[in-house]
Amino acid sequence: MDATLTRATTLQGSLRLPADKAICHRAALLSAISDGTTRIIPWSTAEDCRRTVEVLRELGVPMVETREGLEVAGVGLHGLRAPTEPLDCGESGTTIRLSCGLLAGQPFTGRLTAAASLCQRPMRRVVEPLSQMGATIEGASRASSSEVYPPLTVQGRRPLHGISYAPPVASAQVKSAVLLAGLYADGPTTVSEPAPTRDHTERLLQALGVQLVREGSRLTVHPPRRALAAVPQLAVPGDPSSAAFFIVAAASLPGSRLVIRDVGLNPTRTAFVEVLRRMGAAIDVEAHDQAWEPRGTLTVESAQLHGTTVTAKEVPLLIDEVPILVVAACVAEGQTRFEGVGELRVKETDRLHSMVTGLKAMGAGLVASPDGSLVVQGGRPLHHATVESFGDHRTAMSLAVAGLLAEGQTRVRGVECVAKSLGNFFELLASVVGSSIVKVG
Ligand code: S3P
């Protein structure tokens, strides 16, 4: 399926985005091992989250999708049952890495399988610490490297050993996998993050009464002495990573005004808003609720953007927004540098390659270096082209936004992948730029 985007004149309106994908994964996983029923409201529409639900169902957790959200009948910390079928994680990196952490502490073996793109993604980062904790994990290997790839067979152990672990990469998925395994350890487990990453797992563990201590970059989870009492209702805000595509479009199209309501404002997810403001974007943030996961309203008006430097330290806090920030950098005046973005090479596709290829075809000036940095010479007019999603949802949506800013009609090929995080992306886009601008078929 391809999308055709015509240059838009302006963007106007208000939106609500589907529930945050990262929070929904964690809400499902942790309510599954709590005691009692949790209603997750609303539930994510992302294909990735559906995978987490299927994995948990196969582990014996009753889950029902209702009109409002997802109802999870938690089976307790020790209530998961051995799967009789492989646990299919589809394309979801969060599903496989977090499930690996959960399975590490179970008294049975589970096999986590993956679709083609996920089979290319590195798993050593979770296999290493979970093996140190006592799990036995086998994956696929390649002659050319010591990396481990899916499928993963996880032989759990109970109890695991509590460890102190310093991951070599800043990754919320790795941190979360180790913290989940830490619930089944014989003592405290510490993760020392090289740089801060999204903290949804920590917030939810605390909401469930788990003792979690943060000292600087060190996070220590203590295995719970008694059952985790389910939180009856978890209200999930809209996904800020989905909002980012619309925010950049509104910031870049002259005369635009966009209001995004009920969106997540967790500071470990909104660093991209700070970068855009630094680039001159007019974004007003109104926080409504500081409970559990902060949420509020974002109002964006268009402005002339200018270049900036995104430092390596900031990157883990906006890792999923780099592709759309690269589009903003193309329309900004002057140079923008993205430092330490090498992790983008191991996402659903190599996002440095997919974005550089697509935007260069549209006339942009940008270069990715082997040292993991990306430099964009902004201000060059974009023109239409036929560009590829490379099967990656964030590349597809970012190039579609670039298409709104380019002269003529841009075709983005292979856009069905947007379902991974935001299946109604093109409908939402058409609702704010006009239905004649966005065609999918
Ligand atoms: C995620 C963490 C990030 C992000 C991914 C979702 C999460 O991955 O890119 O889309 O839900 O924890 P890493 O932790 O590998 O950086």
Side-chain angles (χ1 to χ4, degrees), residues 21-22 25-26 94 97 125 170-174 198 319-320 343 347 394:
K21 173 162 91 74
H25 282 296
R26 288 151 171 92
T94 308
R97 294 196 179 117
R125 52 187 64 195
S171 161
Q173 293 178 351
V174 173
R198 64 188 69 187
I319 187 77
D320 291 339
E343 269 294 296
K347 294 295 178 186
R394 299 199 201 280

Side-chain angles (χ1 to χ4, degrees), residues 110-359:
R111 185 171 162 80
L112 295 159
T113 58
S117 79
L118 186 53
C119 284
Q120 307 301 317
R121 296 182 63 187
M123 295 297 141
R124 201 187 165 93
R125 52 187 64 195
V126 287
V127 170
E128 180 86 40
L130 298 173
S131 304
Q132 284 181 23
M133 293 177 83
T136 304
I137 307 176
E138 275 172 27
S141 57
R142 291 187 197 148
S144 54
S145 80
S146 58
E147 193 44 85
V148 181
Y149 300 94
L152 300 176
T153 302
V154 185
Q155 190 187 329
R157 182 196 154 109
R158 191 175 286 170
L160 293 166
H161 315 299
I163 58 166
S164 184
Y165 189 66
V169 282
S171 161
Q173 293 178 351
V174 173
K175 168 178 67 178
S176 301
V178 176
L179 293 178
L180 285 173
L183 297 175
Y184 296 97
D186 53 9
T189 295
T190 299
V191 181
S192 303
E193 290 197 274
T197 62
R198 64 188 69 187
D199 65 358
H200 305 304
T201 303
E202 296 92 297
R203 284 172 183 260
L204 196 46
L205 285 170
Q206 277 170 331
L208 286 165
V210 174
Q211 195 192 345
L212 193 77
V213 182
R214 179 178 273 289
E215 293 155 303
S217 60
R218 284 165 58 86
L219 256 177
T220 301
V221 66
H222 294 263
R225 293 217 184 90
R226 56 184 87 84
L228 306 179
V231 180
Q233 184 160 314
L234 289 171
V236 184
D239 197 320
S241 298
S242 299
F245 301 103
F246 302 93
I247 292 171
V248 168
S252 311
L253 281 167
S256 297
R257 185 170 193 278
L258 173 68
V259 180
I260 302 186
R261 296 187 207 284
D262 208 19
V263 65
L265 295 178
N266 179 319
T268 62
R269 294 288 295 285
T270 53
F272 74 95
V273 172
E274 296 316 313
V275 168
L276 285 169
R277 281 179 161 166
R278 215 154 74 210
M279 295 175 80
I283 307 176
D284 181 61
V285 179
E286 199 187 323
H288 295 318
D289 185 357
Q290 290 303 326
W292 180 44
E293 285 286 353
R295 65 172 74 205
T297 301
L298 291 175
T299 305
V300 192
E301 291 185 2
S302 55
Q304 175 58 57
L305 302 181
H306 49 80
T308 188
T309 295
V310 178
T311 64
K313 183 110 203 259
E314 287 178 296
V315 167
L317 297 174
L318 46 75
I319 187 77
D320 291 339
E321 291 73 62
V322 173
I324 191 62
L325 288 175
V326 173
V327 174
C330 289
V331 295
E333 286 299 331
Q335 189 185 82
T336 298
R337 280 185 66 79
F338 293 87
E339 293 170 351
V341 287
E343 269 294 296
L344 266 77
R345 296 214 183 267
V346 290
K347 294 295 178 186
E348 283 81 336
T349 187
D350 175 344
R351 286 188 179 149
L352 292 183
H353 175 71
S354 61
M355 291 305 298
V356 169
T357 307
L359 290 168

